[in-house]
Amino acid sequence: MNLVILILIGIAAAASLWALGVARRLWTIAGAALMLGAAGFAWQSQAHQPGKPTAADVTPITVDPGMVAFREAVFAPSREDSLALATADSRLQSGDAHAAADGLRAEIARRPNDAVLWTGLGYVLALHDGAVSPAAKFAFRRAVTLAPGTPGPTFFLGMAYVDAGDLSAARPAWAAALAATPKDAPYRGDIADRLGAVDQFLKMAAAQRAAGITP
């Protein structure tokens, strides 16, 4: 069908050139322009050519494998929870934090008293919003209520604050996580090191402010 259309266009163009009295020596120039346009038309109209959609405005988020391992150690999640969190991780890495949050909400609708899922949702919402938004805070509070005295929810709340650049808010969250961590937990040292690093940074920032230096 496209070939027939091109032939008809060619005939019509030649007739127009003859009717307008265009010199034959100029027909080659007009013909070349026509062929160039025809080639473009043929290329664009080929049904088997894949489309080139405009790239979505997404920002892929790298998920640290070490953090995934830490999450598994802290929470010891069920198989269903591990799958839900892994799916959310994959969506974050593809740049779709909105889909990651929606997937966790769907899981929470099935398991509304699951502190692991609420913690995951809070962290994903914080990444999506670029801050620990009211929605993220609500999810973290729900997780803490469901799993009081455990380090997971408060640790990831602290991580969300760190990601948002609010170390002052991260400090009490990580202090609570450390206080809730058993003495013999293999991940206790990691939490303590992070808390120590935040304390050191806050101390340096306070010294700079006292000296009149803007960090």
Side-chain angles (χ1 to χ4, degrees), residues 8-23:
L8 292 176
I9 292 175
I11 294 173
S16 296
L17 292 173
W18 179 81
L20 292 172
V22 176

Side-chain angles (χ1 to χ4, degrees), residues 41-113:
F41 173 81
W43 174 263
Q44 293 293 333
S45 61
Q46 288 182 33
H48 66 273
Q49 291 295 331
K52 290 185 65 177
T54 303
D57 183 15
V58 296
T59 303
I61 298 172
T62 301
V63 177
D64 181 8
M67 185 57 61
V68 173
F70 183 84
R71 183 178 66 200
E72 293 286 320
V74 171
F75 285 114
S78 66
R79 185 169 178 269
E80 291 81 4
D81 285 354
S82 290
L83 179 59
L85 294 172
T87 301
D89 291 343
S90 178
R91 289 169 174 168
L92 287 176
Q93 293 189 109
S94 70
D96 198 345
H98 182 76
D102 281 349
L104 289 174
R105 288 192 187 97
E107 293 294 329
I108 289 172
R110 289 189 282 270
R111 301 189 294 283
N113 296 323

Side-chain angles (χ1 to χ4, degrees), residues 152-171:
T154 48
F155 175 80
F156 281 94
L157 173 60
M159 278 298 303
Y161 277 121
V162 169
D163 291 340
D166 190 349
L167 298 186
S168 296
R171 203 276 171 199

